[in-house]
Each structure stands twice: as structure tokens, then as C-alpha cells.
Amino acid sequence: MNKIELFENQRASGYNQFVETWIPNYHYFMNNLPNLLKQTENKNLLVVGCGTGNEIERFVHTTEQWKITGIDPSPEMISQAVQNLKDFKNVNLIEGIVNDLDRSDKFGAATLLLVLHFMEDDGTKLNLLKNIAERLEFGAPLILLDITGNKTQIKENLEVLRLFLPKNLDKDDINNRLHRIENELNAVSEERLSQLLIEAGFEAPLRFFQTSIYMGWMTRKK
Ligand SMILES: C[S@@+](CC[C@H](N)C(=O)[O-])C[C@H]1O[C@@H](n2cnc3c(N)ncnc32)[C@H](O)[C@@H]1O
């Protein structure tokens, strides 16, 4: 129930190259995050599962005065984020989980990118979403990027993903990776994701982005 998917060793050091290779349009999605949250009045942003700091890097280069808290349980990912973001005084990086954050700190927006699909739908996903909701003020947006779809959608979109992948990748690596996504990760259907968000205290989410198995969702704290 509390299993944490830690990104360690090579998975941490090679992370940025990994996402660029395997997630089509990752850059495009990340680059547009500040646009998505531009109208948010409270610029206190919570970045859950911030990893190496990829989403935070997009916010520190905008003209808006964001105050950013990035949290991640992986020491290796957080230490890369600390290194990448050391020049920015408005960024606070924490090695830990959302539950470690004080409930009285209310954030004006949050992101949860490429985290939820690692967690089982046995209460673990719901707990994380509830913990985030508890730390957001009323109306605060939450942006998600997650592998989403029912079994058939995932199967068919994995074949689309295969077509998008760089031509120089090893065939066995591709097959192993696609097999792992289909059989070992914990993607849920669009309907189930919506149910989980509503149960956690959010509005029904809007799917605003999709590239093969990866869907971008936007919702608000109710
Ligand atoms: C695929 S990476 C995504 C990193 C970053 N969000 C991005 O899009 O580049 C998933 C991250 O989720 C973190 N993670 C795992 N369990 C978590 C949890 N319970 N709460 C927050 N982050 C978690 C991992 O340590 C890892 O850094």
C-alpha cells in the first residue's frame, strides 16, 4: 500500500535522456506548463514527484514570481534537482512525500507528472491525491501527466508509441519497455482516474493533451 517507486542509480542519472527518448512531446508538454498555470493568482506551487526538477526549471524562467516547493522521495533524483536549481532562491526542494508537508501550508497550484501510474490502485493512488488536495486552496489547479487508458487503449496506444520512437533504439529494449508498461505499471482508465480525482476532492478532470499512452489532465480543488 505504501510502496514507493524509487528512482535510483542509472534510472536517476540517465533520467533526462530517458524521458526525451521514450515520451513523445515531453518537451512540448513541459514547456507549456507555465502557460497552463499563468492565470493562477496564488503563485505558491507544489511540484509532487519533481524528480530531477524538469517541471520546476520551466517555472523559474518565467517573468511571474513563482514560489516553488518540489518534493520527491528519491535521494538521487532530489540531489540532481538541487544541483540543477541551485541558483534559484524561490525553489525549496524536499526529499520526502506529500504527507511530510505541513497541512497548514496552502498551495495555489500543483503538478503531478509521471508519478501516479507507478502506484497501485489499492488506495495508494487515492491517498496521494487526497494528500495533495488537503494542501491546496479552494479552486487551485492540479495538472497531471499519466499513462492512462483501459487495457485495449493501452495496448493499441503502445503500438502507436512504437511508431513514434527514435529509429536507432534496440528492438529488444523497445519490446521490453513496452511489455513493462503494459504489464507492470498501474495505469487506470480515464473513467477511473476521474473517479479517483473526484473522490480525493477535485472536480471532474479535463483531458487536454495526449501523445500515445500519455495523457495530460487538468482539474481543480473543490
Ligand atoms: C518518472 S519520474 C517523474 C519526474 C518528473 N515529474 C518529470 O516529469 O520529469 C517519477 C518520480 O516520482 C517519484 N515518486 C515515487 N513515489 C512518489 C511519491 N509517493 N510521492 C512523490 N513522488 C514519488 C520518483 O522518485 C520519481 O522521481
Side-chain angles (χ1 to χ4, degrees):
M1 180 116 157
N2 289 317
K3 186 178 152 265
I4 286 178
E5 177 86 12
L6 273 189
F7 277 63
E8 293 170 307
N9 307 322
Q10 258 198 323
R11 252 180 124 190
S13 59
Y15 178 77
N16 283 0
Q17 205 194 334
F18 174 85
V19 280
E20 295 293 346
T21 306
W22 291 93
I23 305 181
N25 288 316
Y26 177 81
H27 236 86
Y28 176 83
F29 186 93
M30 287 288 171
N31 288 345
N32 276 292
L33 275 178
N35 291 333
L36 286 170
L37 296 178
K38 201 154 53 192
Q39 287 161 343
T40 309
E41 268 179 37
N42 174 346
K43 299 285 184 208
N44 208 356
L45 173 67
L46 174 62
V47 178
V48 180
C50 65
T52 58
N54 287 343
E55 44 284 62
I56 300 177
E57 276 182 44
R58 272 49 181 205
F59 285 93
V60 293
H61 294 297
T62 59
T63 50
E64 287 127 20
Q65 299 299 306
W66 287 100
K67 183 168 173 269
I68 306 163
T69 299
I71 189 155
D72 198 295
S74 158
E76 293 182 49
M77 296 293 265
I78 272 286
S79 79
Q80 285 190 62
V82 167
Q83 183 58 29
N84 294 340
L85 294 157
K86 61 181 179 312
D87 296 334
F88 299 96
K89 300 275 169 286
N90 54 336
V91 177
N92 178 22
L93 294 166
I94 300 168
E95 183 189 317
I97 54 170
V98 177
N99 229 0
D100 298 335
L101 297 170
D102 202 328
R103 272 186 185 70
S104 60
D105 285 343
K106 292 285 188 247
F107 293 89
T111 63
L112 182 62
L113 309 186
L114 304 172
V115 178
L116 209 55
H117 55 232
F118 292 110
M119 300 180 160
E120 289 189 36
D121 188 12
D122 59 355
T124 312
K125 283 181 201 284
L126 182 61
N127 267 343
L128 175 62
L129 294 172
K130 279 185 174 164
N131 285 333
I132 297 172
E134 278 174 12
R135 287 158 180 87
L136 293 177
E137 65 178 26
F138 171 78
L142 168 69
I143 308 287
L144 296 104
L145 180 63
D146 213 49
I147 297 175
T148 318
N150 60 32
K151 292 252 175 279
T152 313
Q153 265 176 309
I154 296 286
K155 214 178 192 28
E156 292 181 0
N157 271 324
L158 281 171
E159 290 313 311
V160 174
L161 175 61
R162 192 189 286 279
L163 302 172
F164 287 159
L165 292 173
K167 300 292 163 267
N168 58 348
L169 290 182
D170 181 76
K171 287 268 172 309
D172 287 342
D173 283 351
I174 296 180
N175 288 335
N176 290 339
R177 166 94 191 125
L178 300 191
H179 183 269
R180 172 171 143 76
I181 293 174
E182 189 176 348
N183 298 290
E184 291 170 36
L185 299 197
N186 300 298
V188 288
S189 68
E190 298 182 56
E191 295 73 18
R192 179 64 185 147
L193 182 64
S194 190
Q195 257 179 13
L196 285 165
L197 283 163
I198 291 167
E199 195 176 340
F202 293 94
E203 291 175 0
L206 171 72
R207 170 163 55 80
F208 67 91
F209 174 91
Q210 181 173 358
T211 181
S212 67
I213 55 173
Y214 297 94
M215 293 188 194
W217 298 89
M218 189 187 307
T219 181
R220 283 180 189 280
K221 163 79 184 289
K222 262 174 98 168

